[in-house]
Amino acid sequence: GDVAEWHLVRTLATLGADFVDANALARAANLQINISEQPRAKAISQMVNECADILGIEPPPTYIEGNPFPNAYVTGLGHPHLLVLTSGLVELYSETPDELRFVIGHELGHIKAQHLRTLLVGRIVFYTLFGAITGGSEDPGLAAFAKTAINVVTFGTLMHWYRAAEFSADRAGLICVGGKVNVAQQALARLLHQTRQSNPLMDETKPGFDVAQIKRDQESLRHRPLVQLYSLLYQFGASHP
């Protein structure tokens, strides 16, 4: 069934909501601007409202944070969640609004699927197991081994779930752009190359990079054993797969 609706998950999420939300709300109060009711950002808030309507959820308050690194995320366990867009993300997609719509739809997909609640409970379970197994051992060698094993297995399981959650969010973003796969692909590719459409060194007559070629180039490198190992380490250390 729906993990987010399990009694244990709902209970733990409720207990942790105040603690988790305090930090998110403090960032909103000190480091971000609410643009949901700002006429200057009407185009963005309209995207949020339309995507929320398509996904059947309440549109969250949308905040902009002054940060040159392109990023977007939803936060908060209580009601309502907050959608945060960095200034770097807004600038990056300023000439490709359909791609920004995909990113917004992706983040709202996390709300639709209640990923924030499930991820919090996963972390609680992880640290509980970590402390229970390593804290009760009198053998330093055994404790170190158990610590490493639990870290790898449990964290690996969390990352596997997180990757699946990102795929689900991508599907939500795809729905919000009317199933236009090319828009979704270019939006994700832009997060890698981080160049705007009007860059004078790029050919403006081309709509974007050849995503199929990008995929072939990446796969041609991944067959090497050491590249696979380093790729795994990159993925373990990344906030997104």
Side-chain angles (χ1 to χ4, degrees):
D2 185 356
V3 176
E5 295 301 323
W6 289 3
H7 179 70
L8 174 63
V9 173
R10 293 177 65 88
T11 301
L12 290 175
T14 300
L15 292 175
D18 290 343
F19 177 77
V20 174
D21 289 357
N23 180 51
L25 294 175
R27 289 188 64 85
N30 292 277
L31 304 174
Q32 301 163 358
I33 295 176
N34 187 342
I35 61 170
S36 297
E37 303 298 330
Q38 293 284 350
R40 176 174 168 79
K42 182 179 179 180
I44 297 177
S45 58
Q46 186 173 347
M47 287 183 195
V48 175
N49 293 338
E50 290 173 353
C51 287
D53 183 61
I54 291 172
L55 295 176
I57 63 173
E58 182 180 343
T62 304
Y63 286 78
I64 283 186
E65 179 174 310
N67 184 340
F69 182 75
N71 193 23
Y73 60 91
V74 287
T75 185
L77 292 175
H79 180 78
H81 298 287
L82 307 182
L83 169 63
V84 180
L85 310 175
T86 66
S87 55
L89 184 93
V90 174
E91 291 294 327
L92 181 63
Y93 291 105
S94 61
E95 298 169 352
T96 50
D98 281 350
E99 294 178 15
L100 179 61
R101 183 186 295 270
F102 168 80
V103 174
I104 289 172
H106 171 104
E107 296 305 328
L108 298 188
H110 286 307
I111 296 177
K112 175 71 174 180
Q114 302 187 51
H115 287 154
L116 282 78
R117 179 190 297 174
T118 310
L119 179 59
L120 172 66
V121 174
R123 287 172 173 167
I124 291 174
V125 172
F126 166 66
Y127 287 114
T128 300
L129 288 174
F130 184 83
I133 292 181
T134 62
S137 174
E138 298 179 356
D139 184 345
L142 178 61
F145 175 79
K147 180 179 179 180
T148 301
I150 290 296
N151 189 21
V152 171
V153 174
T154 311
F155 186 68
T157 302
L158 271 178
M159 289 301 295
H160 176 77
W161 173 87
Y162 194 53
R163 177 175 288 276
E166 291 299 312
F167 288 152
S168 296
D170 281 343
R171 293 186 180 99
L174 184 61
I175 291 172
C176 288
V177 296
K180 299 175 183 176
V181 176
N182 185 61
V183 170
Q185 289 177 332
Q186 292 301 325
L188 292 171
R190 200 171 303 280
L191 288 174
L192 290 178
H193 60 74
Q194 295 194 17
T195 61
R196 293 203 293 180
Q197 199 72 16
S198 62
N199 188 302
L201 297 178
M202 303 294 177
D203 187 347
E204 287 193 60
T205 64
K206 305 296 182 183
F209 286 101
D210 185 340
V211 176
Q213 183 62 50
I214 293 175
K215 187 170 182 290
R216 287 193 295 270
D217 292 339
Q218 291 178 338
E219 289 178 344
S220 70
L221 298 174
R222 287 189 180 133
H223 73 280
R224 305 180 185 184
L226 285 179
V227 174
Q228 290 180 353
L229 174 61
Y230 278 106
S231 295
L232 184 62
L233 294 176
Y234 277 127
Q235 290 173 18
F236 263 60
S239 62
H240 288 72

